[in-house]
């Protein structure tokens, strides 16, 4: 949860870039963390749920029109994310990675795990993903997402 991430960042005095002490950068991180619950998390999770989890639980494929609707909803918030939060910056809060970037990319890995490559036709989003992965460490990032990336194979 966001509350736990913020607690851990404060308790263990993580490097400042994760949850910046600069008020403008921190406000940017907080803004994204508040926005993402019903936007990125809600829409990315819905696509994963409809494409992977519900068919797995029911044994029935999800109706294509509902899957298409979930994909369209996700595409709307991805456009908002690129325009409002990424803009022309390397990361959400500026030139360094923050908790906002980490939370955002974790949520966006769910549709990828469902077989929907949302980075394919979005070069700005793909470059941001590459920067986040490099900042975290590619091997650690892949290990952390191994389960979700293989979910469609269930």
């Amino acid at each position: 949860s966001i509350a736990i991430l913020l607690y851990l960042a404060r308790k263990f005095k993580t490097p400042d870039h994760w949850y910046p002490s600069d008020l403008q950068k921190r406000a940017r991180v907080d803004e994204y963390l508040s926005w993402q619950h019903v936007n990125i998390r809600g829409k990315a999770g819905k696509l994963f749920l409809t494409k992977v989890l519900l068919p797995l639980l029911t044994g029935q494929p999800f109706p294509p029109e509902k899957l298409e609707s979930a994909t369209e909803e996700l595409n709307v918030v991805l456009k908002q994310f690129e325009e409002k939060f990424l803009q022309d910056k390397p990361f959400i809060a500026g030139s360094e990675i923050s908790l906002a970037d980490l939370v955002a990319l974790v949520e966006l890995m769910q549709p990828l795990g469902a077989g929907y490559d949302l980075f394919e036709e979005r070069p700005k989003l793909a470059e941001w993903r590459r920067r986040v992965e490099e900042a975290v460490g590619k091997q650690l990032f892949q290990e952390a997402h191994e389960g979700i990336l293989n979910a469609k194979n269930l």
Side-chain angles (χ1 to χ4, degrees), residues 48 51-53 56 109-116 141-154:
F48 184 77
K51 197 164 181 183
V52 176
L53 291 182
L56 185 64
M109 296 306 285
Q110 289 184 36
L112 198 62
Y116 177 61
F141 190 86
Q142 289 303 316
E143 283 177 33
H145 292 93
E146 187 176 341
I148 199 81
L149 291 175
N150 292 317
K152 66 181 176 285
N153 298 328
L154 294 174

Side-chain angles (χ1 to χ4, degrees), residues 18 37 47 52 55 66 69 72-73 77 97 115 125 147:
W18 288 113
H37 290 289
L47 184 66
V52 176
K66 294 202 182 223
S69 173
E72 288 173 15
E73 289 175 14
V77 297
I97 190 171
L125 203 60

Side-chain angles (χ1 to χ4, degrees), residues 24 28 31-32 77-95 101 122-128 131:
Q24 287 184 324
R28 193 73 173 150
E31 179 184 24
Y32 175 77
V77 297
L78 289 174
K79 185 174 189 245
Q80 291 171 349
F81 176 68
E82 286 184 312
E83 291 173 358
K84 170 76 173 150
F85 292 100
L86 289 183
Q87 298 170 342
D88 291 322
K89 302 175 306 225
F91 298 102
I92 293 171
S95 61
D101 297 287
R122 292 183 181 84
K124 181 188 284 191
L125 203 60
E127 275 301 305
W128 166 78
R131 287 189 295 270

